[in-house]
Amino acid sequence: MKKLMLGNEAFARGLYEAGCRIISSYPGTPSTEITEEAAKYDEMYAEWAPNEKVAMETALGASIAGARSFCGMKHVGLNVAADPLYTAAYTGVNAGLVIAVADDQGMHSSQNEQDSRHHAIAAKVPMIEPSDSGECKEFVKLAFELSENFDTPVIVRMSTRVAHSQSIVETDNRQELELKEYTKTPQKYVMMPAYAKGRHVFVEERTDKLVEYAETSPLNRVEISEKAEFGVITNGAAYQYVKEALGDKASVLKLGMVNPMPVKLIQDFAEKYDRIIIVEELDGIIESHCRNIGVNNVEGKSIFGCIGEINQSAIAEKLLGEKKEFISLGENIPVRPPVMCAGCPHRGLFYCLKKLGVTVSGDIGCYTLGAAAPLNAIDTTICMGASISGLHGFNKARGAEAEHKSVAVIGDSTFMHSGMTGLVNIAYNNSNSTVIILDNSITGMTGHQQNPTTGKNLKGDPAAAVNLEELCRAIGIKRVRVVDPYHLAETETAIKEELEADEASVIISRRPCALLKYVKHNAPFRVDADKCIGCKACMKLGCPAISIRDRKAVIDHTQCVGCGICKEQCKFGAIE
Amino acid sequence: METKSIMIVGVGGQGSLLASRLLGNVLLAQGYDVKVSEVHGMSQRGGSVVTYVRYGEKVYSPVIEKGEADAVISFELLEASRCLPYLKKGGKLITSTQQIDPMPVITGAMEYPENLVEKLESAGVDVTTVDALSLAEQAGTSKASNVVLMGVLASKMDFPDELWQNALEQCVPPKFLELNKKAFALGRNFV
């Protein structure tokens, strides 16, 4: 059956058709929908793990047990899972193990633009990269075969454009597979030095075999055009831009296997043309490989650079000198950055933090938007969990004065991911730090995934829920309190008191995400224009539902969910 | 045939994903190769949202660059103006007259530009303006302005109504189907 599918949805279909049984992932844009879509097939067990390291170890365990397994994550998630990855490269697999890593060229939704191919090279595992949804499905199936044939985890590299573009997919039936036999094999699975030394030899031999495979693999494809004046080597989404922009003006070597790369195939292709252009997004990895194997008639990064996405226009302009005409209004159009939604529980908390003028160590999630105008409340954002550990370091460096004027903010899911260990460090190594957990009862930014605090699992069934208050106390934090961020005065008082206290404390700012379906909204508020004096105090909240028209505040009734923090803010009783 | 490009733009939360899926389904049923590129995650939170739909005999790139769009459908006036450079010469612009203040306007750092409809018209653009929000409210919910606009687009494309109705049935939950069909019809009969 022919269907339009997102790359991620097609990936999930590939898992299903390949007979995958066990899936453990952590959400992260643009990888999330692979696991969400996979969870819709009852034949596969799928779960959200607390973080990518746990997910990968779970999938590896399932592979060793004899089940085809999968874990998915975004590019920065692979940093978290790098520890198991680099040793899973040594143990290899029993049943196939496939890992998805989704890079975010252009940083549509990420804190850096790292090229995850480096991980595949460093870990010495094969990495393959599809260019559209149809390939996503086929490559996943092939990845399981490669994994079992070469005894290795296989990474399938996605990108924002491949993951979040729909194209046509032809679906197939599921291949049902029996569990493979599990035999205790310590020399393969116990990676202590004596055994690991043996496995390293195996890894190097495996890489040699994979290079041989890459020479003739269907993953790599040469498309010769008789009219071509030059050759292009490309991979992933960039292949589509190349075909779009150049048509039959260039011959193309499409690399579906990006690690290890073939040698002879590239040398032979490069010999056909005087000029070989490498069109690859982010780092010049194919280009370096070409030079390493003595193919020197290549250009790439000198033309396209290593920042952001490439597209058909850039290729047409830089290689053919063609430029599209377009019109614009010549008007200064205000930007429209993402904002916290109307009724977002984070808004009240950040308003209080801004008012108190404290240093805020931030983290990854919707609440990162607290860094934007008009709240401008966040000082740092690095990676998952860094708010808490970073605050501890900040306070150790600057001492008591800083301790009374700084907080960490972290979401419920991020706290479970890697915030807890930072809190252990605060308790154990004794800094007087104040940590605020923004518990909105969901993993928000990635589109509402359950997590260990929500009481539900990936399928929406009841699950054990971590009690955050008890967890923080068990870690050794004595001062733990809960506030409702819709109540500004109460929230502000709590922050002040905990900052003044001479020991570490945790404030749980608790209120479910306003977008959750079960959250009942109040009637929208309106502004009494006779009472509004246009002081703009309500505008300081940065609520997208409030604007000024004719010097009076106006509330957009289609957006307002009646959270009431603007009402609390208005000294003239104009909001009702 | 040459690949055709349609851009659907708006503000996060306005329903551009549903609109692009409707269109994608119609084009698939019509027998075209189709690619639809969406944006998820961070930029969905009230920011500018852009969705690309491309169709033809064989479609390669899923994205649309400046000067390439045969049509731009916008759910919001400022976004229509922002995306104008993507329209190719002679392309069609369909925009809702709805205005949503972006944060720089809310904070007072910038003004929402005035008379955008007139400015778009005087730029020599083939522009159709629709009060999609009112039509959607007429259909029963302000949330259906995305489907109203797809109705307007349908009136400018030569595909059988049956395909659009099938696409609505496939993409909209049964509970909201009647409402959305009404919104679609209001858009389709608008011009």
Side-chain angles (χ1 to χ4, degrees), chain A residues 128-328:
Chain A
I128 65 180
E129 184 172 7
S131 297
D132 61 21
S133 300
E135 283 190 356
C136 284
K137 191 186 75 122
E138 293 313 315
F139 280 28
V140 168
K141 291 163 82 172
L142 195 54
F144 276 107
E145 283 174 32
L146 283 181
S147 174
E148 286 166 7
N149 292 344
F150 290 90
D151 188 12
T152 177
V154 174
I155 302 176
V156 180
R157 181 187 188 221
M158 301 286 280
S159 61
T160 294
R161 291 303 174 193
V162 173
H164 287 166
S165 293
Q166 299 180 54
S167 56
I168 296 172
V169 175
E170 192 102 36
T171 58
D172 227 319
N173 292 329
R174 175 173 167 93
Q175 175 190 12
E176 277 302 346
L177 297 167
E178 293 296 309
L179 266 186
K180 287 196 165 186
E181 198 181 333
Y182 167 71
T183 319
K184 185 170 177 171
T185 325
Q187 61 276 22
K188 178 162 157 53
Y189 296 124
V190 180
M191 284 302 96
M192 55 188 194
Y195 294 144
K197 281 175 186 169
R199 289 303 290 179
H200 190 187
V201 174
F202 166 80
V203 168
E204 298 305 326
E205 288 168 358
R206 179 180 72 200
T207 299
D208 292 343
K209 285 180 191 153
L210 282 162
V211 172
E212 231 171 88
Y213 168 80
E215 301 290 357
T216 55
S217 166
L219 291 162
N220 300 325
R221 183 168 81 220
V222 176
E223 299 172 3
I224 295 290
S225 162
E226 299 305 326
K227 295 181 191 158
E229 286 170 14
F230 58 95
V232 170
I233 306 178
T234 185
N235 64 312
Y239 164 78
Q240 307 291 0
Y241 309 140
V242 166
K243 295 296 281 186
E244 180 85 33
L246 303 177
D248 58 7
K249 296 189 182 87
S251 291
V252 174
L253 169 54
K254 176 187 186 296
L255 292 178
M257 186 152 178
V258 291
N259 187 61
M261 284 179 271
V263 174
K264 188 138 190 323
L265 184 68
I266 291 175
Q267 287 166 337
D268 290 350
F269 179 76
E271 255 181 29
K272 293 186 173 63
Y273 303 94
D274 294 336
R275 196 176 177 213
I276 297 290
I277 313 289
I278 315 284
V279 186
E280 60 184 319
E281 291 180 321
L282 302 184
D283 298 339
I285 291 172
I286 299 174
E287 191 173 348
S288 301
H289 172 71
C290 287
R291 295 188 203 282
N292 285 345
I293 59 172
V295 172
N296 289 311
N297 54 334
V298 292
E299 300 159 73
K301 290 297 131 190
S302 61
I303 301 172
F304 294 104
C306 58
I307 298 172
E309 298 180 284
I310 296 174
N311 58 60
Q312 61 265 29
S313 288
I315 295 171
E317 190 181 332
K318 288 179 170 158
L319 299 183
L320 306 175
E322 293 172 1
K323 227 179 153 178
K324 288 255 170 33
E325 279 180 48
F326 59 86
I327 27 172
S328 68

Side-chain angles (χ1 to χ4, degrees), chain B residues 22-52:
Chain B
L22 279 175
L23 181 56
N25 268 288
V26 167
L27 296 167
L28 182 68
Q30 191 68 14
Y32 291 114
D33 187 20
V34 185
K35 282 191 178 165
V36 179
S37 188
E38 308 172 348
V39 177
H40 299 213
M42 180 78 143
S43 35
Q44 268 185 300
R45 300 277 172 264
S48 301
V49 173
V50 174
T51 307
Y52 310 113

Side-chain angles (χ1 to χ4, degrees), chain A residues 2-4 6 9 29 33 108-110 131-132 160-161 164-168 223 237 239-241 243-244 309-314 324-329 331-341 347 365-366 368-369 373-374 444-448 515 536 539 542-549 556-559, chain B residues 3 10-12 17 20-21 24-25 28 32-48 52 54 58-68 76 78-79 81-82 84-89 98-108 110-114 116 119-120 123-125 133 137 142:
Chain A
K2 268 190 180 177
K3 229 187 129 190
L4 262 185
L6 275 183
E9 194 183 348
T29 315
E33 300 82 5
H108 297 272
S109 210
S110 303
S131 297
D132 61 21
T160 294
R161 291 303 174 193
H164 287 166
S165 293
Q166 299 180 54
S167 56
I168 296 172
E223 299 172 3
Y239 164 78
Q240 307 291 0
Y241 309 140
K243 295 296 281 186
E244 180 85 33
E309 298 180 284
I310 296 174
N311 58 60
Q312 61 265 29
S313 288
K324 288 255 170 33
E325 279 180 48
F326 59 86
I327 27 172
S328 68
L329 282 189
E331 184 93 17
N332 194 4
I333 300 194
V335 293
R336 191 187 299 275
V339 291
M340 282 188 257
C341 309
R347 177 172 291 106
C366 284
T368 312
L369 294 169
M445 180 62 86
T446 44
H448 284 178
L515 298 184
K536 297 187 180 172
M539 303 295 285
C543 175
I546 311 177
S547 54
I548 294 281
R549 295 271 187 259
D556 174 1
H557 70 280
T558 64
Q559 287 197 64
Chain B
T3 298
V11 177
L17 286 193
S20 63
R21 283 178 183 204
N25 268 288
L28 182 68
Y32 291 114
D33 187 20
V34 185
K35 282 191 178 165
V36 179
S37 188
E38 308 172 348
V39 177
H40 299 213
M42 180 78 143
S43 35
Q44 268 185 300
R45 300 277 172 264
S48 301
Y52 310 113
R54 308 194 72 223
K58 170 76 190 158
V59 181
Y60 288 105
S61 173
V63 301
I64 300 170
E65 290 299 317
K66 284 182 180 159
E68 290 184 351
E76 201 275 345
L78 189 65
E79 296 312 307
S81 314
R82 189 192 314 287
L84 187 62
Y86 287 84
L87 207 59
K88 74 160 64 148
K89 237 180 159 182
Q98 189 181 355
Q99 298 191 11
I100 301 173
D101 285 353
M103 202 42 74
V105 173
I106 289 177
T107 61
M110 287 182 87
E111 298 272 325
Y112 195 106
E114 290 183 331
L116 282 176
K119 285 172 187 164
L120 286 167
V125 182
L133 190 60
E137 279 171 350
S142 59

Side-chain angles (χ1 to χ4, degrees), chain B residues 25-183:
Chain B
N25 268 288
V26 167
L27 296 167
L28 182 68
Q30 191 68 14
Y32 291 114
D33 187 20
V34 185
K35 282 191 178 165
V36 179
S37 188
E38 308 172 348
V39 177
H40 299 213
M42 180 78 143
S43 35
Q44 268 185 300
R45 300 277 172 264
S48 301
V49 173
V50 174
T51 307
Y52 310 113
V53 179
R54 308 194 72 223
Y55 64 102
E57 268 167 47
K58 170 76 190 158
V59 181
Y60 288 105
S61 173
V63 301
I64 300 170
E65 290 299 317
K66 284 182 180 159
E68 290 184 351
D70 296 277
V72 172
I73 323 298
S74 178
F75 300 169
E76 201 275 345
L77 203 49
L78 189 65
E79 296 312 307
S81 314
R82 189 192 314 287
C83 291
L84 187 62
Y86 287 84
L87 207 59
K88 74 160 64 148
K89 237 180 159 182
K92 287 185 171 64
L93 173 67
I94 299 170
T95 181
S96 171
T97 50
Q98 189 181 355
Q99 298 191 11
I100 301 173
D101 285 353
M103 202 42 74
V105 173
I106 289 177
T107 61
M110 287 182 87
E111 298 272 325
Y112 195 106
E114 290 183 331
N115 308 321
L116 282 176
V117 173
E118 291 76 9
K119 285 172 187 164
L120 286 167
E121 279 166 350
S122 61
V125 182
D126 174 358
V127 54
T128 306
T129 54
V130 195
D131 184 356
L133 190 60
S134 296
L135 289 177
E137 279 171 350
Q138 203 179 315
T141 169
S142 59
K143 293 201 171 85
S145 51
N146 54 349
V147 176
V148 170
L149 284 159
M150 295 321 285
V152 179
L153 175 68
S155 72
K156 294 175 181 293
M157 295 178 101
D158 280 334
F159 300 134
D161 190 57
E162 195 194 334
L163 293 187
W164 289 98
Q165 299 301 328
N166 290 346
L168 279 166
E169 279 155 29
Q170 276 174 42
C171 301
V172 176
K175 177 157 90 154
F176 302 115
L177 186 60
E178 273 320 300
L179 197 155
N180 277 286
K181 283 194 163 184
K182 207 169 155 193

Side-chain angles (χ1 to χ4, degrees), chain A residues 416-429:
Chain A
M416 295 315 297
H417 178 284
S418 47
M420 291 190 283
T421 40
L423 191 63
V424 169
N425 198 34
I426 284 176
Y428 172 50
N429 287 314

Side-chain angles (χ1 to χ4, degrees), chain A residues 402-455:
Chain A
E403 287 177 333
H404 294 297
K405 275 201 242 157
S406 62
V407 300
V409 291
I410 186 165
D412 46 327
S413 187
T414 310
F415 182 70
M416 295 315 297
H417 178 284
S418 47
M420 291 190 283
T421 40
L423 191 63
V424 169
N425 198 34
I426 284 176
Y428 172 50
N429 287 314
N430 192 30
S431 71
N432 174 18
S433 297
T434 302
V435 172
I436 304 176
I437 302 175
L438 294 91
D439 179 8
N440 65 348
S441 311
I442 203 74
T443 311
M445 180 62 86
T446 44
H448 284 178
Q449 288 73 34
Q450 304 297 338
N451 69 55
T453 69
T454 64

